[in-house]
Amino acid sequence: MYTCANCTVYACTQKDPETMPKNCPMRDPELVETVLKRYEEPENQAFYITSSEIESLGYGQWTRVRETMEFCRRMGYRRIGLAFCRGLRKEARILADLLRRHGFEVVSVICKAGGVDKTRAGIAEERKLRPGNFEPMCNPILQAELLNQQHTEFNIALGLCVGHDSLLYRYSEALVTTLVVKDRVLAHNPAGALYCADGYYEGKL
């Protein structure tokens, strides 16, 4: 079992590591070399190189919004998909307008697309936020299919629920990046809970 999150050696950051943990992934150099060849595949090479160049060009200067636009521009993507949560519709509108101002086409699909009650997907009535009322389900698979139909070249996930975002990634034909992750308690900044895990949030996580 790999435990990189608890490593203190970081042999992977050293040119010629003298020591490495017994369960270090680097102890399987054959796998490392096999995977490295995948970066040479046409569908991966330009994508990876461009994303790495963005890291270098905008390091500590560009916001993630700017990085995303620069990445799309350098990859030649023009039609961008935006799968967003209804709760972040204001942010979605701002982002869509910004992308258009920078010359992109934007296909945006809200999470409630389809207008299907949650019970149709097997969610118990008592598990609704407001039992007894019509409550549209989040529909990430439909979001993905609608973007697929529109032949988007690259998709952005904005504020989808935990797990719903995973289904979008699974069914989207275009690759997906996440711009905003949802955290209803911490103003969509889940890292805040980690920063406070040994302090204010100790015992709450």
Side-chain angles (χ1 to χ4, degrees):
M1 181 184 298
Y2 305 124
T3 54
C4 292
N6 300 102
C7 181
T8 58
V9 178
Y10 298 113
C12 55
T13 65
Q14 304 167 29
K15 183 177 180 180
D16 299 303
E18 295 181 2
T19 60
M20 62 180 70
K22 291 181 179 179
N23 64 339
C24 181
M26 290 179 60
R27 289 188 179 275
D28 190 352
E30 184 177 338
L31 177 61
V32 173
E33 288 301 318
T34 298
V35 170
L36 192 59
K37 294 187 188 316
R38 295 182 187 172
Y39 290 99
E40 299 174 3
E41 296 172 3
E43 65 269 29
N44 294 331
Q45 189 172 51
F47 194 93
Y48 181 75
I49 290 174
T50 301
S51 61
S52 297
E53 289 175 344
I54 292 297
E55 176 191 16
S56 171
L57 292 167
Y59 198 88
Q61 301 178 64
W62 295 349
T63 64
R64 190 174 177 94
V65 172
R66 169 86 183 273
E67 286 184 340
T68 301
M69 291 193 295
E70 293 289 347
F71 177 78
C72 290
R73 186 175 292 113
R74 289 169 182 269
M75 284 297 297
Y77 298 146
R78 187 164 183 269
R79 176 166 283 206
I80 309 302
L82 174 58
F84 68 97
C85 168
R86 182 181 183 277
L88 281 85
R89 56 192 180 277
K90 178 181 178 181
E91 292 84 349
R93 184 181 300 112
I94 293 171
L95 178 61
D97 290 345
L98 183 61
L99 288 168
R100 290 190 189 97
R101 286 205 303 270
H102 281 266
F104 298 103
E105 292 182 4
V106 182
V107 180
S108 57
V109 182
I110 194 169
C111 63
K112 302 300 184 182
V116 180
D117 189 81
K118 289 181 176 181
T119 56
R120 291 282 304 278
I123 299 171
E125 189 70 37
E126 61 269 20
R127 287 301 180 187
K128 289 182 175 181
L129 295 175
R130 294 172 297 281
N133 294 291
F134 170 76
E135 199 165 291
M137 63 180 279
C138 294
N139 205 335
I141 297 178
L142 180 59
Q143 285 180 292
E145 291 297 342
L146 291 170
L147 294 178
N148 293 343
Q149 285 183 3
Q150 294 291 309
H151 305 293
T152 54
E153 298 167 289
F154 190 61
N155 293 332
I156 298 172
L158 194 151
L160 300 187
C161 298
V162 173
H164 294 166
D165 52 3
S166 303
L167 289 171
L168 176 78
Y169 306 148
R170 172 178 285 182
Y171 289 96
S172 172
E173 292 176 358
L175 289 172
V176 182
T177 193
T178 300
L179 184 65
V180 178
V181 292
K182 177 180 291 170
D183 191 318
R184 298 180 181 89
V185 175
L186 297 176
H188 310 306
N189 175 31
L194 304 180
Y195 299 144
C196 297
D198 296 325
Y200 295 116
Y201 271 76
E202 187 175 7
K204 293 184 179 181
L205 300 175

